[in-house]
Every structure is written in structure tokens, then in C-alpha cells.
Amino acid sequence: MHYINKKLLINKVSVNKIVKQIGTPSYVYSYNLLRENILKFKKNFKKINPLICFAVKANNNIKILNEISRLGLGADVVSMGELMAALKAKIDPKKIVFSGVGKTYEEIMFAVKKKILLINAESKSEIEVILKVAKKFNTRINIGLRLNPNVDALTIKEITTGKQINKFGLSDNEVIEFIKLYKNSKLVSIKCLSVHIGSQITSHIPYLKMLNAIQKIINKSNYSFEYIDLGGGMGINYGKNIKLLNYKKYADQILKFITKNNAKIIFEPGRSIVGNAGFLVSKIIYIKKTKKVNFIILDAGMNDLMRPALYKAYHRIIPAVKSRIKIFKRHDFVGPVCETTDKFLSVKSYQKLNEGDNVIICDVGAYGKVLSSNYNLRSKASEILIKNSKILRIKKKENLKTII
Ligand code: LLP
């Protein structure tokens, strides 16, 4: 992404050209960045040789999933819909894991029929349902036990999942009890111990604590798991100067762990694979100047991108065409939705903007489009993939009449 003659290009394609062809608001993904992220992820954990299961909840566009599959990744799914999407995108079922606290009987049955790698169970009641399904199909189902290691991921509380107070996973005592109960079961085979402690994690310390918690379970139970699923959570740089995760320290510790325990590692990254590869292109409908604030009213709203309203998440906004003129007044970039929280960003100054200009909200490839809704009866945005300097429409903008 760079400017030539003041005009912004994404992988050599001008944003204004994309807007002319596709319109706004549009999610635009860069194939190059997606590929680069995957290669980097693989390189960071090369010595570990993990199975990398992309967390489909971060981005479920079939074309994106298909590209991810072609780059060798599997999938982590949390619903029948995500599992269907992963399969449609030609992801190998033997590279699919199923997480989530509320899998229904139908969902478990579907997953078993599709012969996926693992179902990571999160409660005793869920295991009982899995046993029922196994009986019905007269088969032995491969499961993982998801541990809640009671570790603080040191991220925002809304996306923390590994503390005792959170709904996810089983306590250490429960895991040990269930290993005893089910290790000789003819209906389930405990293949994996899984964890996922949170998202947008930027310190390696919580991950090390998590590994210690896993080691304790292995020592106490004296059970050897074929797989250890370490979840995802790796944070990305949203443009504020923050320290990022030290992959080397994390990878070194995992290496020590597998030398000792001889298990295959699974990761479930979402954000680190697609986060910075997505951009939301939006047009300025109006500029409303009040005494204190210039409201830049965009045609994208909180229904298109929820993260700022939901988590006060920070996303950079950059202009499609650069100007040298700077306006020293507070600018609030807002959407057209009738909610005060429909606000993307507030800055003290910004370059001169005009109604009709296009701006780009950055780093929205993960948890962007997937969290969008029809609130205010607005249709969901289109999605575009830039690959080999070509503009590929990978999802049409929803048709209002169809939704209505
Ligand atoms: N595995 C499990 C079991 C998960 O629950 C999640 C994310 C992941 C993997 C992927 O985590 P990642 O590598 O993307 O951090 N909507 C929030 C994020 C919620 C994450 C939920 N679980 C956001 O916009 O920040």
C-alpha cells in the first residue's frame, strides 16, 4: 500500500479505480499481504512444524478461505456454518478442528459425518452429546479437551477467554477427571489438549504461563496427547506504537515443550493471518462542521465495521488522495447509523477533505466483514480481492430488496 502522485494504490491498483468499478463501502483484501502473513507465520514456527488451522470466525469469505487453503492451512471452526464454508472452500477435513462452548447435537453429527480431525470439547454435557453421536454412528470420535488455564492474556477484557471467570474450557481438575473417565472409552478417543486464552495478545508471558499449565496437566495425568492445540491470539499492529509479540521466545518455549512431550502442535490464528490484509473503502457523504468538531460522515457505518463501537478498537483512516493542506481542528469520522457509538475515529487534526472523497479504514481483514449486520436496514458491503493487480469481486453488495 503506497501513494504515487498523491494517489493511494493497494498492490498497484488505485483505490479510486476500485471505487469506480465496485462502489463504496467495500472491503478490499490484498492477496499479497495475506500470502506474506501466512509465510511469516510458518517461518516463525518452522522448527515446530505445526498444523495451522485458520480461525474462520475472523474472515469467512469463501474465496479468501480458498486462498488460505491453497497456501496449506486448515481451519478452526465454531459452527456448522463455518464448517460448511471451510469445506466449500476445499479445506481438507483432516485439517479442521471444531471449537466452541455450545455445539449442538446436529452440529456434532455433521462434523462427525464430515470426518474432521477433532472436536474440542468444552464441558461434560458436550462430551455426553458426543458419546450419544458416537453410539448412533457406531464409531469412535476423536476429541480434544479444551483447558481453561486461568491465565490472564493481558489483552482487553472483552476478548479474554482463558480466565476462570470466562465461559470457555474446562478447569484443570475437570480435564484430569475426564482423562480418567474416558481414556479407555470405545466411543471417544482423547487425542488433543486444547487452549485459547484470548485475542490481540502482544506479550509472550501469558503464552508461557499457558504452556506451564498444559505441562502440569500432562504431568498430573501421565497421559500423552497426540496433539496440543495452542489456539490463536497473536496480536497485530493497528498503527499505535505498541510492542508486539516476541514470536521467537514463544516458539523457543514450544520447541522445548515438544521435545519433552512429543506432540504435534496445532495453532488457530485468525487476526495475524488476515487482519492487516483488509481495508474498508468508504466515501465521504457529508462534512458537517460544528463549532468544535468537523464530522466526516462516511457511507460505511458501525453495521459495516463493529470493532470501534464494540471494543473501542483503534483503526487508522487514511485518504485515497493525499493533500498537503492540514486542518487543525478535531475531526470525527462517523457513519450514517443512528447511534452515537457509530464513530470510527477522532483525531486532533487531519488533511483537508472534501465531500465525495474516499477514505480507507485500515487493518479490517479480521473481525470486520464477519461482524457486520443489517442494522438500520443497511445492506452489507461488497468484498474485493486484489490479486496479480486484478480486481476480483468476491462478494457482491447485498441487494436491499432481497433482504427486505
Ligand atoms: N481459536 C479460538 C477458539 C478462538 O475463540 C479464537 C478467537 C481464535 C482461535 C482466533 O483468535 P485470533 O488469532 O484471531 O486472535 N471480535 C474480536 C475478536 C474475538 C476473537 C474470538 N476468538 C475482535 O474484533 O477483536
Side-chain angles (χ1 to χ4, degrees), residues 55 57 76 146 159 196 199 232-233 268-271 307 311 367:
K57 65 174 79 64
D76 159 51
R146 175 164 173 184
I159 51 176
H196 172 77
S199 197
E268 301 170 355
R271 192 189 311 268
R307 299 194 73 253
Y311 312 111
Y367 309 109

Side-chain angles (χ1 to χ4, degrees), residues 41 53-58 76-78 99-100 120 122 146 156 158-159 161 168 194-201 207 229-235 238 267-274 306-307 310-311 313 315 366-368 370-371:
F41 195 94
C53 295
F54 172 69
V56 174
K57 65 174 79 64
D76 159 51
V77 301
V78 291
S99 315
N120 286 332
E122 306 211 17
R146 175 164 173 184
I156 55 173
E158 289 88 347
I159 51 176
T161 50
F168 303 96
S194 85
V195 278
H196 172 77
I197 56 171
S199 197
Q200 186 56 14
I201 298 172
Y207 281 128
D229 179 345
L230 298 175
M234 295 80 178
Y238 280 102
F267 285 118
E268 301 170 355
R271 192 189 311 268
S272 50
I273 302 296
V274 286
M306 273 274 268
R307 299 194 73 253
L310 201 54
Y311 312 111
H315 287 273
Y367 309 109
V370 286
L371 274 165

Side-chain angles (χ1 to χ4, degrees), residues 109-348:
M109 219 161 52
F110 184 71
V112 172
K113 266 194 213 156
K114 296 295 168 189
K115 298 192 167 47
I116 68 166
L117 181 67
L118 286 168
I119 296 174
N120 286 332
E122 306 211 17
S123 63
K124 186 156 199 304
S125 307
E126 185 188 342
I127 299 177
E128 279 158 11
V129 173
I130 298 175
L131 294 173
K132 254 197 219 164
V133 174
K135 263 189 205 151
K136 184 177 164 74
F137 285 117
N138 194 19
T139 185
R140 195 164 186 227
I141 300 175
N142 292 335
I143 64 164
L145 297 176
R146 175 164 173 184
L147 167 71
N148 179 324
N150 196 21
V151 165
D152 189 347
L154 306 177
T155 179
I156 55 173
K157 82 173 187 319
E158 289 88 347
I159 51 176
T160 291
T161 50
K163 287 183 77 174
Q164 210 168 41
I165 193 83
N166 305 131
K167 69 178 173 182
F168 303 96
L170 305 157
S171 71
D172 45 2
N173 287 337
E174 280 174 314
V175 171
I176 289 166
E177 182 194 332
F178 296 160
I179 294 172
K180 273 191 206 146
L181 254 176
Y182 300 114
K183 68 178 174 193
N184 297 319
S185 165
K186 289 197 174 70
L187 298 172
V188 287
S189 168
I190 304 172
K191 294 266 182 196
C192 175
L193 185 67
S194 85
V195 278
H196 172 77
I197 56 171
S199 197
Q200 186 56 14
I201 298 172
T202 52
S203 159
H204 61 283
I205 308 286
Y207 281 128
L208 303 193
K209 287 190 182 160
M210 173 186 100
L211 282 172
N212 282 340
I214 297 171
Q215 189 64 59
K216 265 194 200 153
I217 296 276
I218 296 176
N219 296 348
K220 266 196 193 166
S221 64
N222 202 19
Y223 187 80
S224 68
F225 295 94
E226 194 174 324
Y227 299 98
I228 299 288
D229 179 345
L230 298 175
M234 295 80 178
I236 63 166
N237 187 359
Y238 280 102
K240 286 209 162 155
N241 267 341
I242 50 153
K243 250 186 145 184
L244 284 178
L245 176 67
N246 186 328
Y247 276 88
K248 181 160 181 343
K249 284 196 176 148
Y250 185 26
D252 284 351
Q253 206 62 26
I254 299 173
L255 201 59
K256 270 192 207 155
F257 175 88
I258 49 177
T259 328
K260 198 166 169 190
N261 299 293
N262 189 31
K264 171 97 177 162
I265 296 294
I266 299 176
F267 285 118
E268 301 170 355
R271 192 189 311 268
S272 50
I273 302 296
V274 286
N276 69 354
F279 308 85
L280 179 55
V281 182
S282 177
K283 192 186 283 297
I284 300 173
I285 312 174
Y286 300 120
I287 297 180
K288 184 166 158 178
K289 296 177 182 168
T290 64
K291 207 169 161 197
K292 288 191 173 152
V293 186
N294 281 1
F295 288 100
I296 312 298
I297 304 174
L298 305 180
D299 66 356
M302 65 189 285
N303 73 300
D304 297 299
L305 177 67
M306 273 274 268
R307 299 194 73 253
L310 201 54
Y311 312 111
K312 298 201 167 55
Y314 171 81
H315 287 273
R316 282 176 303 146
I317 299 185
I318 58 173
V321 181
K322 255 192 183 169
S323 157
R324 280 214 198 110
I325 306 168
K326 203 166 180 183
I327 310 287
F328 290 92
K329 185 176 171 187
R330 176 171 148 186
H331 286 62
D332 282 9
F333 290 84
V334 299
V337 171
C338 300
E339 294 271 353
T340 302
T341 55
D342 182 29
K343 179 167 104 180
F344 295 115
L345 184 69
S346 182
V347 287
K348 285 189 183 137

Side-chain angles (χ1 to χ4, degrees), residues 15 32 42 57 61 70 93 101 130 168 212 274 328 346 381 398 402:
V15 168
N32 288 358
K42 285 185 179 171
K57 65 174 79 64
N61 183 289
R70 289 206 257 169
V101 291
I130 298 175
F168 303 96
N212 282 340
V274 286
F328 290 92
S346 182
E398 272 180 351
T402 317

